[in-house]
Amino acid sequence: MFAALVTSLALYVTWAISWRFLRKLASDSLPGPAPSSRIFGNIPDFFSPKGWEYHRNLLERYGGVVKMRGFMGERLLAVHDPAAIYSILVKDQEDYGLSIPQLLRQELILGPGLLAVHGDQHRKQRKLMNPVFSAKHLRDLVPLFYEVAERLRAVLRKQLENGPQEIDALFWIHRTALEIIARSGMDYSFDTLEGNDQHPYSVAVKGLPGLATGPAGFLVPRLVLPYTAKIKLPRLKRFIVERLPLQRVKALIHASDTMHRTSVDIIETKKKAMESTHPEVVAEMANKKDIISLLMRANAQAAEEDRLSDEEVIGQVSTFVFAAMDTTTSGVTRILHLLATNQDVQDKLRKEILEAQEFGQVDYDKLSLSPLLDAVCRETLRLYPPIPIMPPRMASRDMVLPLSKPIVDLNGKQLTEVIVEKGTNIVISNLASNRNPEIWGDDVLEWKPERWLSPPRKSVVEARTPGLYSHLMTFGVGSRGCIGFKFSQLEMKVLLSVLLSSFKFSLTDKPIGWRMSGIVSPIVEGNEGKLQLPLQMSLV
């Protein structure tokens, strides 16, 4: 009996794999690179931490929609054509939802926040949270941004009292970004920025991107979570997972637990304040301007059918921190590295900032009207998006994908649209979209902030790339575009204005590389196991 069962299972697996390889689909005629692995297809190369050249090759050799293979021959399309992106993320977004495995992974790690829900639940959360990220509320947060940034300035000044030193910029920007989010997002403090001790939450969230992304972060949810989600015995699942002899799994559990406990503590404290019988406590809570307090007040006033559950509100804390901290850290550290490499731009930017500070702190309006600061941020986020690849989508039915530029298929036929079969996985390359030479010109791979100091090229306007931000896909688009992209821009500008007005950044003799894994992070070449950005710093 057992032997027959094993034989039947083996035959089924063999048939399923053969069916994937042998059946012919319209998308099979699309050009694309040969798989490097019979089992994992192109996934190890596409999601590699060192995948920069691979992605550049995809952009230069193939069209706006590239055919690849996933696990066991699964069809996978990599997309950067503007018209195709618009169809996937805006026009037909209901037919290209986030894949269920990815949603399950997000919920498992972060809880049922904005990144982990879809359909009506996502629309409800987004509707309630959109006003919280309005320009009016962001304006109120600027003093909190400065309060934390000034703490960082004081700490670094003290370290540089005796002359220039090599400083790990990543270490300090990461801690500062978390504290800014904690103060402005939750009215909470994780870090005084003094000494080297860090809050357990900081340690947990710092390691999360490396644990949850890359090839394993793409494959494991697809192979495991759809099946384990059907088992409605959470304690049993927890018992089994905790005994898996995998250090990566244990670290992920610890990080998720630490973040969840902290999120619960923050929300419970705020709930008690809102429900207090002491008028002064209630009044204090009613005047708080942090994002989670605003969300909780809006939630309490919403109609019953629009209200979020406690679990959903708790999930927003970890979601907000995870989505904002490492992306902002990546953007700021990349800018500091580029300014250390391009001293002339650093000097001009410092001059602009100091002139803006002549009559006091650079407020919300001055930050918005600082042309070179804005250009440096935009150009960096164009050429080096912190998230180079968007989470995978899946076609829920057979679709026709339009193209802004025709593709010549393997049979020599010119295609103006691509047939996408139901179940096809799609990954959108922010990196390729932002680096398309037909849109941005032959100098697309050069870091040139001055391209933003004049009106955009005709090709940029006509391409109609459907991004939220400056014709770029850096922050996505559509209902799942980054809700906090204005928050991130503002935070970056405050940090840069404070740091550059006091410090000069230069390169050391250590060669810096950048890991393309989930969220782009700096390393020292030859020491890839440690994320760091050593820069020479001195007082201005």
Side-chain angles (χ1 to χ4, degrees), residues 297-310:
R297 292 203 297 269
N299 195 45
Q301 295 167 8
E304 185 67 32
E305 63 272 16
D306 295 329
R307 201 168 295 165
L308 305 186
S309 67
D310 287 349

Side-chain angles (χ1 to χ4, degrees), residues 182-452:
R183 293 282 290 112
S184 61
M186 297 161 269
D187 191 35
Y188 194 85
S189 179
F190 288 120
D191 198 339
T192 63
L193 301 183
E194 295 180 0
N196 293 323
D197 292 336
Q198 298 182 66
H199 192 283
Y201 190 99
S202 176
V203 177
V205 75
K206 184 177 182 179
L208 197 56
L211 296 170
T213 57
F218 177 81
L219 282 169
V220 173
R222 300 188 56 73
L223 300 178
V224 178
L225 294 185
Y227 306 102
T228 59
K230 296 177 182 179
I231 303 173
K232 305 301 180 182
L233 298 170
R235 291 185 180 179
L236 175 62
K237 287 194 289 186
R238 174 79 184 210
F239 178 83
I240 294 172
V241 170
E242 286 179 339
R243 280 149 185 82
L244 292 175
L246 300 172
Q247 188 57 41
R248 184 188 185 106
V249 173
K250 294 181 184 297
L252 193 57
I253 292 172
H254 174 72
S256 180
D257 286 349
T258 301
M259 294 172 67
H260 180 71
R261 283 195 301 269
T262 308
S263 299
V264 170
D265 288 344
I266 291 170
I267 297 302
E268 288 301 319
T269 300
K270 290 183 179 295
K271 277 186 66 178
K272 288 179 182 177
M274 291 177 68
E275 297 168 358
S276 174
T277 57
H278 299 285
E280 64 274 13
V281 175
V282 175
E284 182 183 0
M285 181 63 188
N287 290 323
K288 288 187 181 296
K289 298 177 180 178
D290 62 280
I291 287 171
I292 296 299
S293 293
L294 291 172
L295 173 63
M296 292 180 70
R297 292 203 297 269
N299 195 45
Q301 295 167 8
E304 185 67 32
E305 63 272 16
D306 295 329
R307 201 168 295 165
L308 305 186
S309 67
D310 287 349
E311 290 76 15
E312 288 177 281
V313 176
I314 290 169
Q316 306 309 332
V317 176
S318 292
T319 296
F320 180 47
V321 174
F322 177 73
M325 184 185 66
D326 281 291
T327 52
T328 301
T329 299
S330 178
V332 173
T333 51
R334 178 72 82 162
I335 290 173
L336 293 179
H337 183 216
L338 289 165
L339 293 176
T341 307
N342 299 271
Q343 290 290 327
D344 58 330
V345 180
Q346 184 179 164
D347 291 341
K348 291 177 184 176
L349 182 53
R350 181 177 294 108
K351 183 181 179 205
E352 178 183 88
I353 290 169
L354 290 173
E355 287 176 355
Q357 291 177 345
E358 185 177 357
F359 300 105
Q361 198 175 72
V362 185
D363 60 18
Y364 179 91
D365 296 314
K366 287 181 182 177
L367 287 170
S368 302
L369 298 173
S370 299
L372 185 55
L373 177 60
D374 188 65
V376 165
C377 290
R378 288 177 191 268
E379 179 66 351
T380 304
L381 293 173
R382 178 195 70 81
L383 188 56
Y384 304 107
I387 300 178
I389 308 165
M390 295 187 72
R393 263 68 176 171
M394 179 183 285
S396 61
R397 62 187 180 92
D398 291 347
M399 298 293 293
V400 176
L401 201 59
L403 300 175
S404 60
K405 181 186 177 183
I407 293 174
V408 177
D409 70 9
L410 299 178
N411 302 316
K413 181 181 178 182
Q414 191 176 76
L415 304 177
T416 58
E417 58 188 25
V418 173
I419 296 175
V420 179
E421 286 82 4
K422 177 181 178 179
T424 299
N425 286 286
I426 297 171
V427 285
I428 292 173
S429 175
N430 296 336
L431 188 70
S433 178
N434 289 0
R435 294 182 173 194
N436 190 336
E438 294 178 356
I439 296 175
W440 296 95
D442 294 336
D443 60 354
V444 68
L445 296 180
E446 297 179 40
W447 185 73
K448 298 176 68 174
E450 60 268 24
R451 78 172 76 237
W452 298 96

